[in-house]
Amino acid sequence: MGRKRSTQILMIMIAFILFLSGCNFNSTESSSEETTETEGEAGQVLNISATADIPTLDSTKAHDGIAFTVLNNVNEGLYRQDENNEPIEALVTEHTESEDQIVHTFTLRDSNWSNGDPVTAQDFEYAWKRVMKDVSPYNFMFVTAGIKNAEAIMNEEMDAEDLGVKAIDEKTLEVTLEAANPLFQSLLTFPTFLPQNQKFVEEQGDQYALEAENILFNGPFTLVDWTHEQGWKYEKNEDYWDAESVQLDAINAYVVKDPAAGINLYETNKVDRIVLSSEAVDQNKDDENFETILEPEIIFLRFNHNHPVLGNKNIRQAVNMAIDKESLTDVILKNGSTALNGVVPKGFFNSPSGEDFRDLNGDFNTGTVEEAQALWETGLEETGATEVTVSINIADSEDHKKVAEYIQAQLEDNLPGFKLDIKAVPFAQRLEIEKAIDYDLSLSSWGPDYSDPMTYLDMWLEGGSANRMDYSNAELEELVASARTETDLEARYQMLLDIEKILLEEDAAIVPLYQEGAAVLMRSKIKDLLVHPTGASFSYKWVTIEE
């Protein structure tokens, strides 16, 4: 068994070396004291791994953390996040607002796209209206931001051209809101609010942003190589308006789905930062570069609410209670993840009085295996079923396979007559299957887009792009709408608590599994790598390599 595993790792390493050669990731320059450990590549170079390929780099269509991270580093919007995850001016030199805080006017600095065209206010107007016209997966962000007519456009009551954004001239952008919104400026750091060059997008047609040569850049880095399912390479954008702040010359990102291969790449100095699998935690936890991080990302099970059995609340509650989440995190994962029995994670957001959301709302749908079995029997009687065979849609990463196998064992052992098949597909395909609601169960993840509990709560609106399971509840819809305009912070927070209660206590609509942790090895020479809890996960703009 050990010999077979070694052979697999050797083959992965050989493929990796061929990949380096084929993508020309290594220059022929000789190394120096400032060279990264990657053989032959001189200068300030960061080497990282990713668990999946980039699905798309079209900012109007992107809906995953990998794409958001790349977009955050090769493009620039009005604002970006700083080291405290607060919005700082990016392409904005001046931001004024009307007395009622409804009309916002932005003055843009001089900056260019990678083809030499200037970045203009029209680029923002075009991209934002394209989000609404093409029914972007993240068009709800424009409703959350409160931009005028966004909700009416989503409801097909108005056209995308009616969105409250207008280029006054090349350097002046005017945005009109429905009402004052304290979240507005922070939301503008999100990649869906990036600009696009209309002429270039239309020239590329349906190939736009599917390859490195089919996208323009205006951020700290450009993308010079992108070999699908293998990796991509960033290089410093010398024409970036703030190029003097960028110290890295290049970043090599490698798609590494096998955690064992990732460790080998780290140990042989091919990558500088890796996220460890649960098997690798014990043997690496004493490394001086080891750390665990509790993240605000949640892992949960979606149900297809149209399924004749899974559409039953008692069945869904039974599935929830039949899974020992503590053993999943403490024995299987061992990476700092913690069991979760709510949709808003712990430590993410406090009430106006300073109490944690999770502490205030407590745990939902907890119970014994015996209680789960009683609910299961009731659900079977209500649906007329005697046994249930369903499948679970998962991404083909090692950790997700391991979680799915654990869930499979728990449900088949604890719920008589339950059979679960595992269908592992590439990450991008998993998302497409979810969007089509072409699944029974789906192992999903969600990270916050902005710093407010609503980022976990309004995704369940009927027909919303993040719903992906045909779930609906009229009372939840009303509470979300009320919370968006409520200016009394205490009253609004109570509404947010109540929304979660409807989702989980009243409907048991999903199964929260755990709040994700990450066990990380990162070389101490990597300085000022910003890890953001919302939106794009990483900012490389300020990273330096100190040998």
Side-chain angles (χ1 to χ4, degrees), residues 59-60 62 68 71 75-79 91 106 123-125 127-129 131-132 136 138-147 150 163 165 173 175 177 181 183-196 218 449-450:
S59 59
T60 70
F68 289 153
L71 286 165
N75 286 125
E76 187 98 308
L78 298 174
Y79 290 87
L91 291 187
F106 302 92
D123 295 334
F124 283 93
E125 179 181 352
W128 292 15
K129 288 181 176 178
V131 168
M132 304 308 296
S136 160
Y138 267 74
N139 58 7
F140 66 88
M141 290 290 284
F142 286 77
V143 177
T144 304
I147 297 177
L163 187 68
V165 56
L173 183 72
V175 181
L177 306 183
N181 187 342
L183 297 175
F184 177 59
Q185 186 167 297
S186 64
L187 289 171
L188 294 178
T189 66
F190 198 79
T192 307
F193 292 93
L194 288 168
Q196 291 184 344
N218 72 323
D449 299 322
Y450 50 95

Side-chain angles (χ1 to χ4, degrees), residues 49-63:
S49 63
T51 58
D53 192 17
I54 311 165
T56 178
L57 283 178
D58 185 342
S59 59
T60 70
K61 294 180 170 58
H63 53 93

Side-chain angles (χ1 to χ4, degrees), residues 25-27 29 35-36 38-43 45 47 233 250 252:
F25 273 20
N26 294 328
S27 70
E29 298 176 42
T35 305
T36 65
T38 302
E39 184 179 346
E41 190 163 25
V45 181
N47 298 290
K233 180 177 182 177
N252 297 317

Side-chain angles (χ1 to χ4, degrees), residues 181-382:
N181 187 342
L183 297 175
F184 177 59
Q185 186 167 297
S186 64
L187 289 171
L188 294 178
T189 66
F190 198 79
T192 307
F193 292 93
L194 288 168
Q196 291 184 344
N197 182 304
Q198 181 175 359
K199 180 181 177 182
F200 184 85
V201 172
E202 292 177 348
E203 285 176 349
Q204 299 303 311
D206 60 6
Q207 296 303 301
Y208 175 67
L210 297 181
E211 306 291 344
E213 61 269 24
N214 295 341
I215 184 173
L216 294 181
F217 313 105
N218 72 323
F221 300 92
T222 63
L223 208 64
V224 295
D225 280 301
W226 178 9
T227 303
H228 293 283
E229 295 298 331
Q230 293 184 350
W232 52 93
K233 180 177 182 177
Y234 308 82
E235 284 185 356
K236 178 178 178 178
N237 182 0
E238 298 293 349
D239 297 322
Y240 176 52
W241 72 269
D242 193 25
E244 64 181 21
S245 295
V246 182
Q247 301 304 309
L248 289 178
D249 296 306
I251 306 165
N252 297 317
Y254 306 110
V255 175
V256 183
K257 296 182 180 180
D258 186 331
I263 293 172
N264 276 272
L265 295 175
Y266 182 84
E267 290 176 345
T268 54
N269 296 314
K270 298 296 192 299
V271 296
D272 300 316
R273 183 185 191 274
I274 59 167
V275 177
L276 296 170
S277 66
S278 53
E279 292 96 343
V281 169
D282 289 340
Q283 59 261 43
N284 289 280
K285 63 184 179 183
D286 295 327
D287 190 303
E288 63 180 1
N289 292 325
F290 175 86
E291 66 173 327
T292 58
I293 303 167
L294 184 61
E295 300 176 331
E297 185 168 356
I298 65 170
I299 308 298
F300 63 96
L301 289 179
R302 294 179 191 269
F303 294 97
N304 181 340
H305 282 243
N306 297 317
H307 190 278
V309 180
L310 300 180
N312 179 275
K313 177 187 174 181
N314 285 311
I315 293 291
R316 296 194 299 271
Q317 280 185 304
V319 169
N320 199 332
M321 289 185 187
I323 300 169
D324 183 346
K325 301 174 186 178
E326 284 74 17
S327 291
L328 172 59
T329 57
D330 299 346
V331 179
I332 305 298
L333 296 173
K334 298 183 293 186
N335 61 359
S337 297
T338 61
L340 182 65
N341 293 295
V343 72
V344 178
K346 189 172 181 62
F348 177 69
F349 203 83
N350 288 342
S351 70
S353 59
E355 295 177 88
D356 187 86
F357 189 100
R358 193 71 277 122
D359 292 337
L360 286 172
N361 242 16
D363 292 338
F364 296 98
N365 297 318
T366 57
T368 65
V369 171
E370 291 74 21
E371 289 172 315
Q373 291 171 344
L375 289 165
W376 177 250
E377 293 301 328
T378 300
L380 291 178
E381 290 177 10
E382 290 172 347

Side-chain angles (χ1 to χ4, degrees), residues 82-99:
D82 67 8
E83 68 274 14
N84 298 312
N85 306 309
E86 295 293 332
I88 56 172
E89 292 178 347
L91 291 187
V92 171
T93 59
E94 184 180 8
H95 175 187
T96 61
E97 55 187 40
S98 59
E99 187 174 346

Side-chain angles (χ1 to χ4, degrees), residues 473-510:
N473 183 296
E475 187 181 358
L476 181 145
E477 306 267 336
E478 292 174 7
L479 273 175
V480 168
S482 298
R484 283 176 171 166
T485 58
E486 180 57 65
T487 56
D488 183 316
L489 296 182
E490 290 281 1
R492 179 180 183 273
Y493 207 85
Q494 185 58 53
M495 291 176 182
L496 300 178
L497 294 168
D498 290 342
I499 292 168
E500 188 186 56
K501 289 177 181 176
I502 292 171
L503 180 75
L504 299 178
E505 186 175 71
E506 184 176 320
D507 291 343
I510 64 170

